[in-house]
Amino acid sequence: MGVEEIKAKWGGIDDPLKVIDILSMMGDASDNIPGIKGVGEKTAIKLIKQFGDMDGMYERTEEIKGKLREKVETAKEMAYISKELATIVLDVPIDYKPEQYDISAIDVPALTAIFQELEFRSLGKRFLGDSYEVLPKGGKSPVNAPTSGQMSLFGGAAAAAKPAPPTMEAATVKVKNIENTPHEYHLVDTDEGMEDLIKKLSAQEVICFDTETTSIDSTQAELVGLAFSFKAGEAYYVPTPADQEEATAIAKRFEAVLANEKIAKVGQNLKYDIKVLRRYGIAVKGVLEDTMLIHYLMEPNMRHNLDYLCETYLGYTPVKIDTLIGKKGKNQLSMRDVPVEKVVEYAGEDADLTFQLYQKFKPVAEEAEHMRKLYYEVEGPLVNVLADMESEGVALDVDFLNDYSAVLGKEILEARDAIYEKAGTEFNIGSPKQLGEVLFEKMGIKYTGSKTKTGQYKTDEEKLQRLSASNPIVQNILDYRGLTKLKSTYVDSLPKMINPLTGRIHTVFHQAVAATGRLSSADPNLQNIPIRTARGREVRKAFIPRDSEHVFLSADYSQIELRLMAHMSQDPAMLEAFPNGLDIHTATAGVQYRFGIG
């Protein structure tokens, strides 16, 4: 912006330097310039036009009418402090050489190297053009990169995921996508076509398959179609009708292939597809080659979704699902609403790219003994086990939760009234601002530590816990918060998560989330059901066996870390303690006592 543009932007002032005085009066929150309270941009511009500048205004404040004069006069000191803050310092002693600030050409190799190391995709394309890709041309993909030397828990060096140093050609390679990459994705919607496809699939040792459905919830999703691939660049899509009997009949035609134990099945997050097909009476059998899980074992701290894997390992940007069904919201379509010719391209691409990822990942998984053992003996077989568990679900005693919700509601009101009585006023307990003002201003409880960025008192759990012992009202507030969270998060929410088709709760167990290898639970998170408090433990009573013929069995490892330690250290005392049923802590204490240590 030039001089004239600045003048126009600020209401036609006659000098750009007067912007300093305008900001001094109106303030600027982004730069912490306080300004004059009650004076906004329009008023500030009006005063500058009337008096010329802020000095002129303070020389003739008697000409200002009404309450505005009082505001201006009261805030004079703050106004001049604000002017100092708003004025850029021009006399800093620096060695200024204008030629150093000339814009020069981009150092393409250096910038490419940085962007690839940081896995910047969008920025790379913006600065280096559409030719930029994360993987360098001719460079090794992450799966083939040399090992970093970091040791794996399961033996051997962990496979590294860093691409080889980029070459100059990296910036000239076209980013691949469905528009510029040769492919053959076939629509198979006739009896003859299906029979021919089944013959082709039956002749393969490895096939990739993917389901297209109406929902991400596998327990309610309806099958829209099946996609298959067994050759890079080629895929087949079989649509299924909305009528569930007809859809089942078509899906069943492929059961001989999907249930063939001699044919390995490749997929991305196969558990989802397995669960969907089970609802159509099809059990997927054979070795499972899940690209998501294989990559999880290769690089547990990285992302494992298909788009990321394709961009990182294939230099390919897949079609985005929202280009077909739209963004999330009430206007989002179902995959069944999308024209079949578009679904063919989308579904075929998914199956094709997943098969190509498998071809890249398989040699790495085979070469690394610890990874091969872990995948084919633990993670791979676990897919069907988790699919069983998720499909089975768990029964919920809704009547119990409804009764408990009423009990909690009564306790919440009692806690609220106790807070109001001690505070001597009613206020919104859920508002941190109001709560802070009541506790630390009205009641005079001593506040220590910093405030929030907006100047509010901190009223988080940690802060209140420190105050609860000496201030009874604070304990009431903590009780109130605990009760309301328990009621809203669990007691009132769990019944809404019951599947209408099964009448049960179906959580999802994620294998590829926690880098430590443990499972994580979601929708709902059954690992977070409260247990530490008596009220929280009541929620667990709502989970019940399906009928009187079934019971819950609870099992847990006993001192698993110590057992691992005994095995790895081969310590004689520890090895003796466990087979003999001795308490390891008592045995350790006995050794310390006898030898005078500890």
Side-chain angles (χ1 to χ4, degrees):
M1 297 177 72
V3 171
E4 297 306 320
E5 289 81 5
I6 293 290
K7 290 179 180 179
K9 175 179 171 61
W10 293 94
I13 57 174
D14 58 6
D15 184 353
L17 290 176
K18 292 184 178 179
V19 172
I20 297 173
D21 285 9
I22 295 172
L23 291 173
S24 303
M25 288 190 272
M26 64 177 278
D28 185 356
S30 63
D31 282 333
N32 289 322
I33 300 173
I36 299 172
K37 191 172 182 179
V39 173
E41 181 180 334
K42 290 182 179 179
T43 303
I45 292 172
K46 178 183 174 184
L47 291 170
I48 292 299
K49 284 184 175 180
Q50 181 179 351
F51 297 105
D53 55 26
M54 200 163 75
D55 290 337
M57 179 186 72
Y58 276 110
E59 289 172 2
R60 298 154 50 196
T61 54
E62 69 278 359
E63 296 179 24
I64 302 175
K65 302 280 177 71
K67 289 187 177 180
L68 179 58
R69 176 180 175 180
E70 181 182 345
K71 291 177 182 178
V72 168
E73 290 179 339
T74 302
K76 183 176 180 179
E77 182 181 359
M78 188 59 70
Y80 278 102
I81 290 174
S82 297
K83 185 169 183 176
E84 185 177 356
L85 292 172
T87 304
I88 297 173
V89 178
L90 301 176
D91 57 355
V92 176
I94 60 170
D95 185 15
Y96 175 64
K97 296 177 181 178
E99 63 275 9
Q100 292 181 340
Y101 299 91
D102 289 343
I103 297 176
S104 58
I106 291 175
D107 185 341
V108 173
L111 193 60
T112 301
I114 292 172
F115 281 0
Q116 288 179 332
E117 180 184 357
L118 299 175
E119 298 180 11
F120 286 172
R121 291 173 173 77
S122 300
L123 281 178
K125 291 178 182 178
R126 186 188 308 171
F127 286 98
L128 299 171
D130 288 339
S131 61
Y132 167 82
E133 62 173 341
V134 171
L135 285 179
K137 182 182 179 182
K140 295 180 179 179
S141 70
V143 295
N144 295 321
T147 57
S148 64
Q150 180 178 350
M151 298 304 292
S152 163
L153 174 64
F154 302 97
K162 293 182 179 178
T167 59
M168 185 64 185
E169 296 96 325
T172 61
V173 178
K174 186 75 173 176
V175 175
K176 293 185 289 186
N177 57 46
I178 201 166
E179 301 294 334
N180 61 25
T181 304
H183 61 274
E184 295 181 37
Y185 299 155
H186 310 280
L187 173 63
V188 182
D189 59 354
T190 65
D191 288 340
E192 297 80 6
M194 291 183 206
E195 287 303 315
D196 183 55
L197 177 57
I198 291 169
K199 288 179 182 177
K200 290 179 178 177
L201 294 171
S202 299
Q204 308 303 316
E205 293 182 357
V206 181
I207 65 169
C208 177
F209 82 96
D210 183 37
T211 59
E212 293 303 329
T213 65
T214 57
S215 170
I216 59 174
D217 182 350
S218 60
T219 61
Q220 300 189 58
E222 295 179 6
L223 189 64
V224 176
L226 287 163
F228 298 93
S229 178
F230 50 85
K231 180 182 177 182
E234 190 170 359
Y236 303 82
Y237 178 68
V238 183
T240 56
D243 183 273
Q244 291 302 285
E245 287 189 12
E246 295 178 24
T248 301
I250 290 176
K252 279 284 190 179
R253 297 180 70 167
F254 291 86
E255 184 174 19
V257 174
L258 294 168
N260 188 332
E261 295 187 10
K262 295 181 180 180
I263 303 175
K265 311 303 188 301
V266 175
Q268 169 76 9
N269 189 17
L270 276 169
K271 178 156 61 70
Y272 174 87
D273 304 297
I274 288 170
K275 287 168 61 182
V276 169
L277 290 174
R278 279 186 181 183
R279 296 181 46 239
Y280 288 80
I282 299 171
V284 178
K285 297 179 181 179
V287 175
L288 301 180
E289 303 280 5
D290 194 319
T291 49
M292 179 184 73
L293 295 180
I294 295 173
H295 184 258
Y296 168 68
L297 295 181
M298 289 163 43
E299 295 295 343
N301 290 306
M302 292 173 68
R303 287 174 285 165
H304 316 292
N305 63 74
L306 185 62
D307 286 358
Y308 176 81
L309 296 182
C310 291
E311 290 174 353
T312 303
Y313 294 92
L314 303 177
Y316 187 107
T317 301
V319 174
K320 306 296 182 187
I321 182 66
D322 55 23
T323 63
L324 275 70
I325 63 175
K327 302 287 186 181
K328 290 183 179 180
K330 62 179 181 180
N331 295 323
Q332 188 180 54
L333 301 175
S334 160
M335 188 60 82
R336 200 182 296 285
D337 302 320
V338 179
V340 70
E341 59 272 14
K342 290 187 177 181
V343 182
V344 171
E345 292 288 284
Y346 174 80
E349 183 188 60
D350 270 5
D352 173 25
L353 295 178
T354 301
F355 187 74
Q356 291 185 47
L357 287 171
Y358 160 74
Q359 290 178 312
K360 275 192 173 289
F361 293 170
K362 180 69 172 178
V364 180
E366 288 290 342
E367 185 177 341
E369 182 182 353
H370 68 282
M371 189 187 301
R372 181 176 68 249
K373 200 172 168 60
L374 185 55
Y375 179 78
Y376 291 108
E377 294 183 15
V378 180
E379 297 294 350
L382 188 58
V383 170
N384 272 308
V385 176
L386 295 178
D388 283 341
M389 293 167 60
E390 293 174 14
S391 298
E392 198 66 39
V394 61
L396 198 69
D397 189 337
V398 177
D399 291 337
F400 171 82
L401 286 178
N402 289 337
D403 292 342
Y404 193 38
S405 178
V407 171
L408 290 177
K410 183 180 178 182
E411 291 182 359
I412 288 169
L413 292 177
E414 291 173 353
R416 182 201 65 183
D417 292 343
I419 294 167
Y420 288 165
E421 183 179 351
K422 289 183 175 71
T425 184
E426 294 187 6
F427 62 99
N428 181 0
I429 303 170
S431 166
K433 184 176 184 297
Q434 292 185 34
L435 179 60
E437 290 171 350
V438 169
L439 292 179
F440 305 115
E441 292 180 7
K442 183 180 184 301
M443 298 188 68
I445 294 175
K446 185 179 179 181
Y447 184 86
T448 57
S450 61
K451 295 184 179 180
T452 66
K453 289 182 179 180
T454 57
Q456 292 183 21
Y457 296 103
K458 291 181 180 179
T459 57
D460 53 61
E461 187 85 3
E462 183 182 354
K463 172 68 74 174
L464 295 186
Q465 285 287 1
R466 290 202 298 265
L467 298 170
S468 60
S470 54
N471 300 280
I473 187 175
V474 176
Q475 187 56 54
N476 292 135
I477 292 166
L478 289 170
D479 290 343
Y480 176 86
R481 283 184 177 178
L483 290 166
T484 53
K485 181 178 180 180
L486 186 64
K487 186 175 186 294
S488 62
T489 305
Y490 301 106
V491 178
D492 292 343
S493 295
L494 284 172
K496 298 174 184 176
M497 295 182 175
I498 292 177
N499 188 304
L501 299 179
T502 65
R504 301 163 77 85
I505 291 274
H506 298 268
T507 189
V508 176
F509 293 105
H510 293 294
Q511 285 175 268
V513 172
T516 58
R518 69 172 179 81
L519 295 174
S520 65
S521 168
D523 303 318
N525 183 350
L526 297 183
Q527 294 171 323
N528 271 6
I529 304 299
I531 194 173
R532 295 182 179 179
T533 65
R535 289 191 183 102
R537 286 192 291 274
E538 287 295 301
V539 177
R540 295 185 170 231
K541 295 180 181 178
F543 293 93
I544 56 175
R546 67 176 67 188
D547 53 41
S548 58
E549 301 298 317
H550 291 80
V551 296
F552 281 146
L553 173 66
S554 177
D556 195 5
Y557 287 112
S558 172
Q559 299 177 317
I560 183 63
E561 294 90 351
L562 291 173
R563 292 177 186 272
L564 283 170
M565 188 186 299
H567 171 73
M568 296 171 75
S569 68
Q570 290 295 298
D571 178 79
M574 296 182 78
L575 290 173
E576 180 185 358
F578 285 115
N580 293 325
L582 302 177
D583 178 74
I584 194 71
H585 299 290
T586 304
T588 305
V591 171
Q592 291 175 335
Y593 176 77
R594 287 198 304 273
F595 292 97
I597 58 177

